[in-house]
Amino acid sequence: MPTATVTSKGQITLPKDVRDDLKLRPGDKVEFEKRDGRYVLRPRNRSIMELAGILHRPGSKAMTIEEMDEKLAQALAEDDERIRAGR
């Protein structure tokens, strides 16, 4: 398991295999999220341009706000029913 040492200034150097796995480059940002008493390290190195079009499905028309609201309400009702049924 890769390890790092904290300096007197509170800095660490991420091991190379961790940087490689996370595709981190100099200048990239890293986010720390606390979950159940542990911290999760998440790279913040994606360009907004890389995200363009990820929700588009070729050949499908865009939903209206009303359609989105209806689908969300339906999904919430199904989740509520599943939770109440103990599934």
Side-chain angles (χ1 to χ4, degrees):
M1 175 184 302
T3 60
T5 302
V6 179
T7 69
S8 61
K9 293 183 179 183
Q11 299 171 336
I12 62 169
T13 298
L14 294 175
K16 182 173 180 353
D17 54 336
V18 173
R19 294 190 315 265
D20 291 346
D21 285 348
L22 296 175
K23 297 176 177 49
L24 290 170
R25 297 179 308 265
D28 285 345
K29 301 236 184 263
V30 176
E31 182 177 273
F32 297 87
E33 179 183 339
K34 191 171 185 177
R35 287 189 196 165
D36 301 322
R38 295 179 180 209
Y39 282 91
V40 175
L41 180 102
R42 189 174 340 160
R44 303 294 292 185
N45 56 354
R46 293 194 97 177
S47 158
I48 193 69
M49 295 309 292
E50 291 178 52
L51 302 176
I54 64 170
L55 299 178
H56 174 70
R57 292 185 183 158
S60 66
K61 74 173 188 121
M63 291 172 64
T64 66
I65 297 295
E66 292 78 16
E67 289 170 325
M68 286 184 224
D69 286 344
E70 184 179 319
K71 291 284 188 186
L72 180 58
Q74 180 183 358
L76 289 172
E78 290 170 2
D79 253 7
D80 188 50
E81 183 180 325
R82 180 185 51 81
I83 291 166
R84 289 177 191 268
R87 292 182 270 149

